[in-house]
Amino acid sequence: MVESMKYPFRQGMRLEVVDKSHISRMRLAVVDTVIGGRVRLLYEDGENDEDFWCHMWSPLIHAVGWAKRVGHPIKKSDDRRSDLGIHPTFRKIYCDAVPYLFKKVRAVYSKGGWFAKGMKLEAIDPLNLGNICVATVQKVLLDGYLMISVESVESSDGSECFCYHASSPYIFPAEFCQTHHIELMPPKGYTPETFVWEEYLAATGSKTAPAQLFNKDCPNHGFKPGMKLEAVDLMEPRLICVATVKRVVNRLLRIHFDGWDEDYDQWVDCESPDIYPVGWCELIGYQLQPPVEPG
């Protein structure tokens, strides 16, 4: 009973989740497993055990119908898995997860100016979470959601766009990186040494998103460089690894996975549901990935 009160998601519940092979769209999925608030999802139209791991408070999951309501692309799934009737997951509840189970986003107000298509900003690259890049608003959705593309990746079909909420701690006003001495990944044709925001805006005839539109709240979180923790490898989210806080920038933490090259470092928010205190995996019974031994 205590376990059911902690984790309201159940095996067989349906929801919408980002398509890991095409991040600009959603797909229907079904909850297969819940461990410590982490959920393993099976894509409803997937092959065999095509899955996706995330936390139940992840911004990557939503109630069925969310994509249509806000205007986000979703993969049409006319054909469901052939094993729906026999797979143990799909023989369970198999109902839509109700909206109140999902983490609510911060309310935003567009009066006095709002994001618009073509505005420039800085954003964490969803496919390389150690990079903060020059980015562009490609589409403004409803309820404060934005489709954003990073300028360091070329895509003619919009397949590299990613949905961020306007209150996300992973999008920033122009010159955020310069202010905090973080290397900014520039657009194609530029280098970090030659990129200058003012010159780029003049060359592209564009303007930046107003700084007041971004979330500037910073809780007194207490994280400091050198602290140890257990963190999800968000590029392989079934894995939780021994990690170290490498840098703290306001509410943003740069996480280093012990034993791995710094190219695998990732930026996460101080309130991310994907970081845990030392000992969490042992307490929950989840496998912790030990540091990689050198050599």
Side-chain angles (χ1 to χ4, degrees):
M1 177 61 72
V2 173
E3 186 75 6
S4 67
M5 291 173 65
K6 285 184 180 178
Y7 313 124
F9 284 92
R10 294 285 179 274
Q11 186 181 55
M13 286 185 172
R14 300 170 73 239
L15 46 77
E16 295 178 0
V17 61
V18 69
D19 184 345
K20 66 179 182 181
S21 62
H22 196 294
I23 62 170
S24 64
R25 69 185 180 191
M26 305 295 284
R27 283 171 75 180
L28 289 170
V30 179
V31 175
D32 174 65
T33 308
V34 183
I35 303 177
R38 302 199 62 77
V39 293
R40 179 184 184 238
L41 304 170
L42 297 178
Y43 287 114
E44 196 173 79
D45 61 347
E47 296 294 332
N48 299 320
D49 286 333
E50 186 185 5
D51 65 357
F52 185 83
W53 281 89
C54 66
H55 194 274
M56 64 181 184
W57 292 337
S58 170
L60 302 179
I61 59 174
H62 300 276
V64 172
W66 172 85
K68 181 178 180 180
R69 181 170 57 80
V70 304
H72 192 294
I74 184 168
K75 182 181 179 182
K76 295 180 180 179
S77 53
D78 298 327
D79 299 322
R80 291 185 176 179
R81 298 165 60 119
S82 59
D83 61 355
L84 279 181
I86 59 174
H87 193 290
T89 294
F90 302 104
R91 292 171 61 188
K92 293 289 185 177
I93 302 174
Y94 205 67
C95 64
D96 294 350
V98 293
Y100 74 79
L101 297 182
F102 299 85
K103 185 175 176 65
K104 288 181 172 59
V105 293
R106 176 177 173 175
V108 292
Y109 303 96
S110 57
K111 290 185 178 179
W114 191 239
F115 291 94
K117 181 179 179 179
M119 282 183 173
K120 304 294 183 179
L121 65 156
E122 298 177 7
I124 292 179
D125 183 348
L127 296 178
N128 189 339
L129 297 167
N131 289 344
I132 301 178
C133 308
V134 174
T136 303
V137 177
Q138 295 295 345
K139 186 177 180 181
V140 178
L141 309 180
L142 297 180
D143 293 350
Y145 289 96
L146 310 166
M147 295 300 290
I148 291 174
S149 65
V150 296
E151 297 295 287
S152 58
V153 177
E154 292 182 353
S155 173
S156 59
D157 60 358
S159 61
E160 300 301 332
C161 289
F162 189 71
C163 184
Y164 281 113
H165 192 262
S167 65
S168 171
Y170 301 132
I171 60 173
F172 319 97
E175 299 187 346
F176 172 86
C177 285
Q178 179 180 332
T179 300
H180 297 285
H181 307 289
I182 300 170
E183 182 174 278
L184 176 67
M185 297 301 294
K188 291 284 186 179
Y190 293 83
T191 67
E193 294 74 27
T194 61
F195 178 79
V196 177
W197 262 113
E198 185 176 356
E199 295 175 0
Y200 178 66
L201 294 173
T204 57
S206 53
K207 62 180 181 179
T208 60
Q212 68 267 21
L213 299 182
F214 296 84
N215 181 4
K216 297 184 179 65
D217 291 350
C218 184
N220 185 20
H221 52 70
F223 284 103
K224 296 179 181 178
M227 287 183 169
K228 297 292 184 182
L229 69 163
E230 297 173 3
V232 175
D233 177 356
L234 292 167
M235 302 310 296
E236 189 63 56
R238 63 183 176 85
L239 302 179
I240 300 181
C241 309
V242 174
T244 304
V245 177
K246 187 174 180 180
R247 190 176 175 194
V248 179
V249 180
N250 298 336
R251 64 182 301 146
L252 206 58
L253 313 178
R254 189 167 180 87
I255 300 298
H256 176 73
F257 298 106
D258 291 9
W260 289 89
D261 190 87
E262 64 179 15
D263 289 344
Y264 296 97
D265 290 359
Q266 298 177 4
W267 290 105
V268 301
D269 184 59
C270 65
E271 295 182 342
S272 168
D274 294 306
I275 55 176
Y276 306 97
V278 171
W280 183 88
C281 282
E282 182 179 4
L283 177 65
I284 297 299
Y286 198 99
Q287 182 177 356
L288 177 67
Q289 305 298 313
V292 175
E293 295 294 333

